[in-house]
Amino acid sequence: MAQEELVAVAIGRLLVPGDQTKARIAANRAILEELMSWGDAIYRLSTRVGHGKNTRVPGEALKQLQQLLVSSHAGSFGTVDRTVVRAAMAVRVCGMARGCSGASHLRQPSRGGETWPAPAARR
């Protein structure tokens, strides 16, 4: 993403992934889905993290683990300007759009009819 595009998103333009980005995300997500189907332990996707790295998480608890990881790493910075938040989110989305995060592109209701990739473990 060019600096000009990032600024445009920060001040309100919608960030909508293109077809090439969606294809890259889908291809890499398919690889992750295949690896998960093998049943092997994959750090942070089918195991706990840190000291729990060797502890498998049952399939039904994976979504809860992913949500816990996000919320436990959330921090508070007080009041942050909306443009700074939008810019930070756009940069993170661009990282996911490279296709190596395990994210998947899902169509969900939003202002523009599209949303950025969802977390990897959505089971």
Side-chain angles (χ1 to χ4, degrees), residues 4-108:
E4 296 78 22
E5 293 171 307
L6 178 59
V7 170
V9 170
I11 61 175
R13 190 183 88 197
L14 290 179
L15 180 59
V16 180
D19 291 340
Q20 201 172 26
T21 299
K22 291 178 191 177
R24 185 172 47 249
I25 291 170
N28 283 284
R29 176 62 188 216
I31 292 169
L32 177 63
E33 293 285 345
E34 181 179 348
L35 291 173
M36 291 291 290
S37 75
W38 294 353
D40 295 339
I42 301 175
Y43 179 72
R44 195 192 57 82
L45 292 177
S46 62
T47 69
R48 298 202 180 279
V49 296
H51 294 296
K53 67 183 177 193
N54 296 317
T55 304
R56 297 291 302 264
V57 177
E60 63 275 2
L62 287 175
K63 182 176 181 178
Q64 183 180 5
L65 174 64
Q66 291 294 314
Q67 292 170 339
L68 176 65
L69 285 170
V70 171
S71 65
S72 68
H73 287 80
S76 177
F77 295 97
T79 303
V80 179
D81 185 80
R82 183 182 195 100
T83 57
V84 173
V85 173
R86 288 182 60 86
M89 291 175 68
V91 168
R92 181 64 186 119
V93 169
C94 286
M96 287 186 225
R98 291 179 184 222
C100 299
S101 68
S104 64
H105 179 271
L106 300 177
R107 263 199 122 126
Q108 298 176 359

